[in-house]
Amino acid sequence: MSSPRLRVQFETLFEHYKGQDSGVQLEEITGILFCTRRNARIVLNKMEEEGWLEWRPAPGRGKLSQLIFKRSRSDVSEALARRYLEEGKIGQALKVLDNDSAKLAQVVESYLGVVHQEGQQVVRLPYYRPLTNLNPSIQMRRSELHIAQQIFSGLTQLDEREMLQPDLAHTWEMLNPRQWRFYIRPSVRFHNGDLLTTEMIVDCFSKLKHKRLFSHIERVDTPGHLIVDVHLNLDDYKLPLLLAESCAKIVLPEDRRAENFDLSPVGTGPYRVVQNDEKRLVLQAFDGYFGFRPLLDRVEVWVIDEAYSSMVFPSLTKPIKPEVVNYSDEVALDPGSTLLLLNRKNGLAASDDWANYFSQRLNSLNLYQQLPQDKIVELGVLPALGLKPGWYHHIRKGVATPPAYRTVTVAYHAQHPMFPTLVKGIDSLLKQDGLTVQLIKYDLTVENTEEVDIWIKPMGIATNRDDALAGWLLNYSDIEASSREQDFNYWAQVVQQWQATENAPFPAKLLGQSLVEKKQLIPMFHCWLGVSKDHCGSLQNAKCNALGWFDFGKVWVKPEPTEPAL
């Protein structure tokens, strides 16, 4: 790859001769570039190899050689910027474009979207941060949850209409409310070629029962070939539905995993990871997938550095953020909310007085008024009156004054496009009441969670179903670690009663109201999610899911006919 210095030397020549082909002597070039005759020849030859110019030396002293420009200064800069983009060097790409973010946005736009490469259909998507943890067995953020669904399979799954469907288990039956039998597909292989065995499923379930949602699993065995029996110590009519949760995906046993499994895991899903680093995640369609092979051959998620993330719009073919964001009919509110999780166990909110104060002072309408007006449309948020859109959780009004003058510690994800703005609003409201605010930024968790009084959390539930709250509450929400024991036991008991009752509707609103009334959390905002059809180009079936992405395995690129239709 050409060096930045070579580009600067080309620009120097281009500006000196105003881009016009010229007859020159080599001594003139040495004077312009401040180098020797030998170095001047080397530089000109390198520029010629790059295709930037043509150098025709004339034999004999006093004769003029021909300098012919084949590329403009902007052509060379943009070509070099594209090559830096291929290496993930966003900062250097911006530098060669004279730190002009508009130019870089144009280069990014031309590079992302739907492309055809070596006969394969490829989609390149921009994203604002690396996707560093793709292991469904441990805590994951919302976008990682989506990616994990493309890489892994579970015994069951929810389809695009959010209906329960077979996956690794082609069918199942309830022998009684405390014993379920699953029949496993034969000849399923992991991305590395390992054959899936029932022993691997038993190994996964032995770890799964340590999670609160599956703590009622007593044992798992294999009474016959390709049969897995799950024995429970509590009645559960909903087990197949709960096994569609991301944490129940089947993963390789630990002794068969590579050291970088969390970053580059191996599953049995429709896509396999071929690259994942700070600049790019590349997923390749798995030809050995037991289901329908994806029509899209490869998906590349390109990380746009945080400093430049505001100039690209997360779409397919038009990543430049428009001056006006128009939400079309294809855009809907996320199925949960962004919320404030109060530390009712050992933070300031362990006191009812502090919990009441936070609930009154930091309610969604107060925070919404703190947002800069020019940021509201860009952030795509609405005040949340309840845990889910359309819900209203009534809170008795109290005195919104702090019980004492203390330091309030607020923790939030360091890499999130919305949270820094929200934190400023919280900081402003609390400081108006004479409180000191300490902010903690983190990636996955905080070293000492007991020090945190308030967490800013996205719910990140994967479906629009009300019963998705069960997995969120017991597995992903961190509520157990921040709540009073008697409160959490009550919420867990509500879920268990639903599991133990056949055909019972999930008590979602009851749970939501209780979580708010107990001052465990404060719903803040609902966010707009969607994939604009104007941005999809030739990509078909790109329907937005509850996690704000589209299912890679269900989309396809509509080819152009080579001959006109008769």
Side-chain angles (χ1 to χ4, degrees):
M1 182 174 182
S2 58
S3 67
R5 177 173 172 76
L6 187 66
R7 179 189 65 88
V8 172
Q9 290 171 321
F10 172 80
E11 292 177 350
T12 301
L13 291 177
F14 191 89
E15 290 177 2
H16 182 85
Y17 294 106
K18 297 181 172 54
Q20 301 297 315
D21 299 343
S22 306
V24 300
Q25 291 185 336
L26 190 59
E27 287 76 9
E28 190 176 338
I29 300 293
T30 62
I32 297 170
L33 299 180
F34 299 102
C35 63
T36 64
R37 288 171 60 89
R38 179 176 179 276
N39 285 340
R41 290 193 185 96
I42 293 174
V43 169
L44 290 170
N45 287 335
K46 286 183 177 179
M47 292 180 185
E48 193 165 23
E49 289 174 3
E50 292 287 338
W52 298 350
L53 54 74
E54 188 175 343
W55 171 248
R56 297 177 184 173
R61 286 188 173 274
K63 293 187 177 181
L64 296 178
S65 300
Q66 293 298 309
L67 183 64
I68 302 171
F69 291 98
K70 301 177 70 174
R71 294 286 186 271
S72 68
R73 175 185 175 183
S74 60
D75 288 342
V76 171
S77 298
E78 290 179 10
L80 193 56
R82 287 191 180 92
R83 290 163 77 172
Y84 277 128
L85 281 175
E86 290 179 2
E87 297 181 359
K89 299 176 180 177
I90 310 297
Q92 289 178 265
L94 183 63
K95 187 175 181 180
V96 301
L97 295 172
D98 299 325
N99 292 310
D100 188 329
S101 59
K103 286 183 181 178
L104 180 59
Q106 292 172 0
V107 173
V108 170
E109 179 180 11
S110 67
Y111 205 80
L112 297 176
V114 179
V115 298
H116 295 271
Q117 195 173 60
E118 299 177 354
Q120 293 193 330
Q121 295 180 342
V122 181
V123 167
R124 291 172 175 159
L125 304 170
Y127 199 55
Y128 69 92
R129 62 175 176 84
L131 298 158
T132 53
N133 172 41
L134 302 177
N135 181 355
S137 302
I138 56 182
Q139 192 79 348
M140 303 176 75
R141 294 179 65 177
R142 117 187 258 144
S143 291
E144 280 84 345
L145 281 171
H146 169 75
I147 300 298
Q149 291 175 356
Q150 315 298 308
I151 300 170
F152 296 95
S153 309
L155 295 193
T156 62
Q157 64 177 335
L158 295 178
D159 62 18
E160 58 187 3
R161 294 172 298 155
E162 300 186 343
M163 301 297 293
L164 186 65
Q165 298 294 343
D167 202 9
L168 291 174
H170 60 85
T171 191
W172 54 84
E173 58 183 332
M174 185 182 71
L175 303 183
N176 61 68
R178 297 196 180 193
Q179 183 179 358
W180 285 84
R181 176 164 291 172
F182 295 87
Y183 298 92
I184 310 303
R185 297 180 188 275
S187 302
V188 174
R189 292 194 178 273
F190 286 86
H191 301 151
N192 65 352
D194 286 0
L195 183 68
L196 173 69
T197 65
T198 52
E199 288 74 20
M200 291 179 179
I201 297 174
V202 171
D203 178 71
C204 285
F205 275 60
S206 67
K207 298 177 176 62
L208 189 63
K209 65 183 182 181
H210 296 298
K211 296 184 179 295
R212 188 65 180 252
L213 185 63
F214 298 101
S215 60
H216 60 313
I217 294 179
E218 189 172 84
R219 73 179 195 278
V220 183
D221 54 36
T222 56
H225 181 58
L226 296 176
I227 300 176
V228 172
D229 276 8
V230 180
H231 302 266
L232 311 170
N233 54 32
L234 294 172
D235 290 356
D236 189 351
Y237 291 90
K238 313 298 192 306
L239 184 65
L241 174 64
L242 299 180
L243 289 177
E245 290 282 341
S246 294
C247 65
K249 301 295 183 185
I250 303 303
V251 298
L252 277 174
E254 291 185 9
D255 60 356
R256 298 196 183 190
R257 301 178 191 174
E259 290 184 3
N260 63 340
F261 185 82
D262 293 353
L263 190 67
S264 186
V266 173
T268 58
Y271 282 94
R272 60 186 178 91
V273 180
V274 296
Q275 177 184 342
N276 190 18
D277 51 39
E278 292 183 353
K279 293 302 178 184
R280 201 180 318 175
L281 167 67
V282 180
L283 301 176
Q284 185 74 33
F286 179 40
D287 291 333
Y289 179 52
F290 61 85
F292 290 113
R293 182 200 185 275
L295 298 175
L296 200 62
D297 296 297
R298 192 162 76 248
V299 177
E300 300 178 1
V301 182
W302 288 63
V303 179
I304 305 300
D305 290 5
E306 183 178 0
Y308 319 121
S309 62
S310 62
M311 71 186 177
V312 288
F313 193 70
S315 63
L316 300 174
T317 58
K318 297 179 182 178
I320 300 177
K321 185 181 67 180
E323 294 182 2
V324 178
V325 180
N326 293 315
Y327 293 109
S328 68
D329 294 337
E330 299 298 318
V331 180
L333 290 173
D334 70 79
S337 59
T338 299
L339 53 86
L340 300 182
L341 176 62
L342 303 185
N343 186 353
R344 295 281 273 154
K345 179 173 286 187
N346 40 41
L348 288 176
S351 157
D352 287 340
D353 290 340
W354 275 102
N356 289 331
Y357 165 70
F358 288 142
S359 295
Q360 295 296 328
R361 191 61 169 141
L362 300 179
N363 68 65
S364 61
L365 294 177
N366 284 349
L367 284 172
Y368 192 73
Q369 293 173 357
Q370 296 297 313
L371 298 181
Q373 292 300 304
D374 58 344
K375 286 276 189 181
I376 289 177
V377 174
E378 179 183 331
L379 293 173
V381 296
L382 286 178
L385 301 181
L387 204 59
K388 289 172 66 72
W391 290 7
Y392 175 71
H393 300 319
H394 178 70
I395 306 175
R396 293 180 182 176
K397 290 188 176 181
V399 180
T401 56
Y405 295 105
R406 300 283 296 276
T407 296
V408 180
T409 303
V410 181
Y412 66 101
H413 283 304
Q415 292 181 308
H416 195 287
M418 180 172 60
F419 286 0
T421 303
L422 299 185
V423 165
K424 290 180 181 178
I426 294 172
D427 182 74
S428 175
L429 285 173
L430 296 181
K431 284 184 175 178
Q432 288 175 22
D433 291 343
L435 298 174
T436 303
V437 179
Q438 179 183 358
L439 301 177
I440 298 179
K441 295 187 291 185
Y442 67 95
D443 290 324
L444 291 177
T445 188
V446 174
E447 185 174 345
N448 189 354
T449 58
E450 295 182 1
E451 296 178 351
V452 178
D453 299 307
I454 301 173
W455 299 83
I456 302 180
K457 294 277 187 179
M459 285 184 67
I461 53 178
T463 74
N464 291 284
R465 297 173 60 113
D466 281 353
D467 51 41
L469 290 182
W472 167 77
L473 173 66
L474 299 183
N475 284 348
Y476 314 121
S477 65
D478 295 325
I479 287 177
E480 183 174 11
S482 299
S483 63
R484 295 172 172 177
E485 184 177 358
Q486 66 271 23
D487 290 340
F488 191 82
N489 287 340
Y490 165 72
W491 299 321
Q493 185 180 12
V494 170
V495 175
Q496 289 173 359
Q497 289 176 347
W498 164 72
Q499 291 174 261
T501 307
E502 190 173 11
N503 300 322
F506 185 76
K509 290 185 178 179
L510 172 67
L511 279 173
Q513 184 67 41
S514 178
L515 285 162
V516 174
E517 284 183 347
K518 295 288 187 179
K519 311 294 190 303
Q520 183 61 63
L521 52 82
I522 308 170
M524 255 198 314
F525 301 111
H526 301 304
C527 300
W528 292 109
L529 300 176
V531 178
S532 172
K533 292 197 172 186
D534 294 337
H535 292 166
C536 289
S538 57
L539 198 65
Q540 308 296 306
N541 201 35
K543 299 176 182 177
C544 181
N545 60 28
L547 291 168
W549 293 73
F550 56 88
D551 188 345
F552 301 153
K554 298 293 192 298
V555 299
W556 58 288
V557 178
K558 187 174 184 178
E560 294 291 335
T562 55
E563 297 181 2
L566 297 177

